[in-house]
């Protein structure tokens, strides 16, 4: 599939902004998926191409955080493995299982997460008490959220972030760094299966990947400078925006009644 140069430049710009937002709070897919759909690309190609470009953004952020010493490989590697296999299974499952029920429940989960991020005293730059062992965390959060990302996807960053804060006792900056690592892992697992199925438009994906890489680096630097003062409001905002978008698409009868 070939697109005009101006369209590719516009997609590059969208990906740059999405990468910036993703590195801080997740939710960049709110921008990139509609942008890809607007080109007339079939939905299956949109999902595969989106995974390609988002992989570069999550890699850029992960690389930056790793160089700054924020990643604790000794305790996170089980979660990386479980996330990879969870995402792979989720990518296969979505081809045979209807995700409609999950789509209708997700907005309310994201609203609950937004309330948690806004009101909970645990959401800060300070560390708190760990509630799960690294292996239990890997199976529950890594495997569970990895499966969700491969199966459906919206809000994955929020799921990982709340897991690290509420269950692993991480401060927000450290939680964000490890969230990007697991995001990258699940993206790569899903991308592998989309590639095997021929569902990736490489020319478009690589153009957007450059924007993602640059935007993610910019966002990662801000996380270290601003910490929870930046991450917390963005997480709340992104969660609520995703909720509104999903409610709009899943409950049209509600808006018709209001109108």
């Amino acid at each position: 599939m070939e697109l005009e140069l101006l369209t590719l430049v516009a997609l590059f710009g969208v990906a740059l902004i999405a990468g910036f937002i993703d590195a801080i709070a997740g939710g960049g897919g709110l921008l990139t998926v509609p942008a890809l759909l607007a080109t007339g690309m079939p939905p299956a190609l949109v999902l595969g191409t989106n995974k390609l470009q988002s992989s570069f953004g999550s890699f850029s952020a992960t690389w930056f955080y790793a160089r700054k010493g924020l990643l604790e490989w000794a305790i996170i590697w089980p979660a990386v493995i479980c996330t990879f296999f969870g995402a792979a299974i989720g990518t296969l499952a979505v081809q045979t299982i209807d995700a409609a029920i999950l789509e209708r429940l997700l907005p309310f989960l994201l609203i609950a997460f937004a309330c948690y991020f806004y009101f909970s005293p645990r959401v800060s730059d300070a560390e708190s008490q760990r509630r799960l062992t690294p292996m239990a965390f890997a199976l529950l959060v890594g495997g569970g959220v990895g499966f969700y990302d491969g199966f459906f996807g919206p809000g994955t960053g929020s799921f990982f972030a709340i897991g690290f804060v509420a269950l692993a006792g991480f401060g927000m900056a450290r939680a964000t760094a490890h969230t990007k690592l697991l995001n990258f892992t699940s993206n790569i697992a899903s991308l592998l299966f989309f590639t095997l199925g021929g569902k990736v438009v490489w020319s478009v994906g690589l153009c957007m990947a450059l924007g993602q890489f640059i935007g993610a680096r910019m966002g990662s630097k801000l996380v270290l400078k601003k910490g929870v003062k930046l991450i917390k409001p963005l997480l709340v905002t992104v969660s609520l925006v995703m909720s509104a978008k999903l409610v709009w698409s899943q409950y049209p009868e509600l808006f018709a009644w209001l109108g």
Side-chain angles (χ1 to χ4, degrees):
M1 181 175 183
E2 295 185 4
L3 299 178
E4 295 180 357
L5 179 60
L6 187 59
T7 302
L8 290 174
V9 171
L11 289 173
F12 169 87
V14 170
L16 189 147
I17 297 170
F20 178 84
I21 295 171
D22 248 340
I24 301 169
L30 284 173
L31 300 176
T32 56
V33 170
L36 285 167
L37 286 170
T39 66
M41 192 181 295
L45 290 179
V46 166
L47 294 177
T49 305
N50 186 62
K51 282 297 179 185
L52 170 62
Q53 62 93 34
S54 63
S55 294
F56 278 77
S58 54
F59 170 74
S60 175
T62 300
W63 185 21
F64 178 82
Y65 291 132
R67 290 178 59 194
K68 296 298 181 180
L70 288 180
L71 297 180
E72 299 180 38
W73 298 101
I75 64 172
I76 198 62
W77 69 263
V80 171
I81 294 173
C82 290
T83 298
F84 182 91
F85 284 104
I89 295 169
T91 305
L92 293 173
V94 74
Q95 301 175 45
T96 58
I97 301 174
D98 186 6
I101 295 177
L102 183 58
E103 287 184 87
R104 296 180 75 84
L105 287 176
L106 184 60
F108 306 105
L109 289 176
L110 289 172
I111 291 171
F113 287 170
C115 292
Y116 178 87
F117 286 128
Y118 188 79
F119 293 109
S120 176
R122 292 174 67 89
V123 181
S124 68
D125 281 327
E127 305 290 303
S128 58
Q129 183 179 356
R130 172 180 284 276
R131 297 186 177 183
L132 289 179
T133 65
M135 188 56 68
F137 181 89
L139 292 170
L140 178 64
V141 178
V145 179
F147 176 87
Y148 167 78
D149 193 26
F151 185 76
F152 193 53
T156 296
S158 297
F159 282 99
F160 278 133
I162 201 169
F164 279 114
V165 172
L167 301 176
F170 284 14
M172 278 307 303
R174 197 156 69 107
T176 302
H178 288 79
T179 290
K180 288 297 103 185
L181 172 60
L182 297 190
N183 265 150
F184 174 62
T185 302
S186 61
N187 282 340
I188 287 297
S190 295
L191 176 60
L192 174 63
F193 285 92
F194 279 122
T195 301
L196 291 174
K199 303 299 184 185
V200 178
V201 182
W202 290 91
S203 58
V204 176
L206 291 174
C207 173
M208 296 181 73
L210 179 60
Q212 274 274 354
F213 191 91
I214 296 170
R217 179 58 57 92
M218 295 165 59
S220 302
K221 289 181 178 179
L222 267 184
V223 166
L224 293 190
K225 290 181 180 179
K226 302 295 185 179
V228 73
K229 293 180 181 179
L230 175 69
I231 303 168
K232 186 173 181 176
L234 265 180
L235 270 172
V236 172
T237 301
V238 167
S239 295
L240 291 177
V241 169
M242 281 192 288
S243 303
K245 181 180 183 298
L246 289 165
V247 168
W248 178 272
S249 62
Q250 292 301 313
Y251 296 90
E253 66 276 8
L254 174 62
F255 293 95
W257 179 78
L258 290 175

